[in-house]
Amino acid sequence: MKIGIVIPAHNEEQYLPTCLQSVQRAIQELRDYHVEVLVVLDSCMDQSRSIVQEYQVNWIECNYACVGKARDLGIRYLITQGVTWIACTDADSHVNPDWLVCQMQHQPTDAICGIVMLDDFSHLSMLKKQRYLSHYQDQMNHQHIHGANLSFTVDAYIQAGGFEPTPCHEDVLLIQKFIKQYCHITWSNLVRVTTSSRLIARAPQGLSHFLNEL
């Protein structure tokens, strides 16, 4: 199995170094697998490209301002490089050291929906924190879907037609297509990612929107 990691980034210079460090550590924890990392720089006007170059990670650029199109672009590029398993995360997130190890432990499966943890609760009101914790299921067989922690086989992705070219909810739409084509989906809380709890969104109606609406 050849693994491809896709990281879309839109002006993420603040978070990108931590993201790339965590991904590199996760790769080091994995044995006997070839892993390709690709950052998709989407309409970046900051220092994101310089950071990616500093970490010697492969990158491509686009001007979509659309996370669904950016993810799909990166995945289809990695498919041409021969990857058979795709792992998605986001530039404002950092993965656990055993992120890839746990994905391999869940094989065989068509897709894995992992969970995300918020990096900081301090700027959230007590009510927002309580509502979030009461909503979120940190357990196996949860039903949460996050583009920041989503992985799948290339075969399932191609059969589903890929991510929809939408600025949000591309992750949910993909899983819905997987379900319709009877893919085996693993809902795991062992595959873990920590993500930004910022309230100013990059993607409309994403996690920031959810936090604001609590």
Side-chain angles (χ1 to χ4, degrees):
M1 179 182 291
K2 185 176 180 180
I3 301 169
I5 300 175
V6 177
I7 309 169
H10 173 57
N11 294 332
E12 294 289 8
E13 62 184 6
Q14 177 181 352
Y15 296 98
L16 197 49
T18 300
C19 173
L20 296 177
Q21 290 168 15
S22 72
V23 166
Q24 290 175 346
R25 183 176 177 187
I27 293 171
Q28 292 171 358
E29 294 292 320
L30 193 64
R31 300 289 186 269
D32 303 322
Y33 289 92
H34 182 75
V35 183
E36 294 278 347
V37 181
L38 181 69
V39 177
V40 183
L41 299 168
D42 186 6
S43 308
C44 289
M45 303 295 290
D46 63 354
Q47 296 302 308
S48 292
R49 184 171 68 177
S50 297
I51 292 168
V52 172
Q53 292 172 328
E54 178 184 347
Y55 281 85
Q56 299 181 332
V57 173
N58 290 334
W59 54 274
I60 54 177
E61 288 184 299
C62 61
N63 289 294
Y64 297 143
C66 174
V67 67
K69 294 179 71 172
R71 287 195 204 279
D72 184 69
L73 178 68
I75 289 167
R76 295 190 184 277
Y77 174 84
L78 287 175
I79 289 173
T80 68
Q81 305 304 303
V83 305
T84 55
W85 180 260
I86 297 291
C88 296
T89 192
D90 286 343
D92 68 340
S93 306
H94 58 274
V95 306
N96 271 24
D98 62 356
W99 185 60
L100 294 172
V101 170
C102 288
Q103 290 180 40
M104 295 303 100
Q105 289 174 346
H106 282 309
Q107 302 300 323
T109 189
D110 295 313
I112 301 171
C113 293
I115 67 163
V116 300
M117 302 164 287
L118 297 184
D119 63 352
D120 184 14
F121 284 98
S122 63
H123 61 291
L124 301 179
S125 68
M126 184 60 67
L127 179 60
K128 282 183 182 290
K129 179 179 178 180
Q130 289 173 346
R131 287 178 173 174
Y132 178 83
L133 293 175
S134 65
H135 164 80
Y136 206 83
Q137 304 167 2
D138 188 347
Q139 61 190 32
M140 293 298 290
N141 300 315
H142 64 83
Q143 296 297 302
H144 302 298
I145 302 170
H146 306 283
N149 195 4
L150 182 61
S151 51
F152 41 80
T153 67
V154 164
D155 287 345
Y157 187 78
I158 292 174
Q159 184 179 348
F163 280 116
E164 293 296 316
T166 58
C168 61
H169 303 318
E170 80 292 342
D171 44 5
V172 174
L173 293 172
L174 181 66
I175 292 300
Q176 289 175 346
K177 291 193 287 187
F178 284 171
I179 292 171
K180 288 181 180 179
Q181 64 192 36
Y182 301 103
C183 289
H184 178 255
I185 300 173
T186 302
W187 304 84
S188 174
N189 73 333
L190 302 179
V191 181
R192 305 176 72 86
V193 166
T194 301
T195 196
S196 168
S197 61
R198 63 188 174 191
L199 299 178
I200 300 175
R202 288 289 191 272
Q205 299 183 28
L207 181 59
S208 297
H209 175 79
F210 174 75
L211 293 175
N212 278 307
E213 291 296 307
L214 285 174

